[in-house]
Amino acid sequence: MRVKLYREHKYVSFALSELERLIAKTDFTDEGALTHIQTQWQSLKEMLEGHAYHEEQNFHALLEKKGSTIHHDAHNDHEEQEEAIENLDRLLNAIKANSDPIEAGYQFYLAYRKFVGDNLLHLHEEETKLLPELQRLSTDEELRALEHATYEMMTSEDMIEMLKVLFPHMNFSDKCAFLTDIQLAEPKKFLEVWRKADLFLNPEELKKIKNAHLLIS
């Protein structure tokens, strides 16, 4: 099986939809509820911006190096996402001072819901168009190397926290792929991560990995 990038999209999709559900039931006349939305939106926004930056600097850069132009639409999507984020910031920040916070909150919800839809389509395009092109033009070693710099900067504690966030939204195959990538990139850190595997894998998954020698001999 070829190395498959974009597995973290499962978490991105979850985070986008989870905030949509929260916004949908928010009472925008409640200052505490509005503050909570602002906090959650800030966290999501930072994640999306970091995610897009990583793709631009690594996935898109590799495609460009290989002479492909298939990533141009995804690059434009990232720029449009920045504009949409700025608009959502304005809509959200204006709710508190609005004479009709319920209507202002509803308009924010509509804009955010469209933002979710646009992002889901963007994720789909990346996985159905960019991923096959990356796999066609690159070796598995080249694809794995895209994440090596990230893992080099991370501590084992950072990796554990990352896996605790991502793994609830992934299947067993995804989890094995992530762990294999970490093991190949940072074997010493991986040993530290593996010692605390019960923090991000359930007992059945741990047993399955050990019995099949999928990672550790």
Side-chain angles (χ1 to χ4, degrees), residues 2 9 47 69 77 107 118 185 209:
R2 294 299 310 277
H9 279 180
M47 183 270 285
T69 60
D77 285 348
Q107 293 304 319
D118 291 342
I209 288 175

Side-chain angles (χ1 to χ4, degrees), residues 26 31 38 40 42 61 66 88 129 138 194 209:
T26 293
E31 189 171 333
Q38 290 172 324
Q40 295 301 306
Q42 182 64 29
K66 298 290 184 177
L88 286 165
K129 294 182 180 178
S138 310
W194 186 248
I209 288 175

Side-chain angles (χ1 to χ4, degrees), residues 199-213:
L199 295 176
F200 49 81
L201 293 172
N202 64 46
E204 184 179 340
E205 290 169 333
L206 278 168
K207 182 179 179 181
K208 192 174 180 181
I209 288 175
K210 290 175 180 178
N211 289 345
H213 302 290

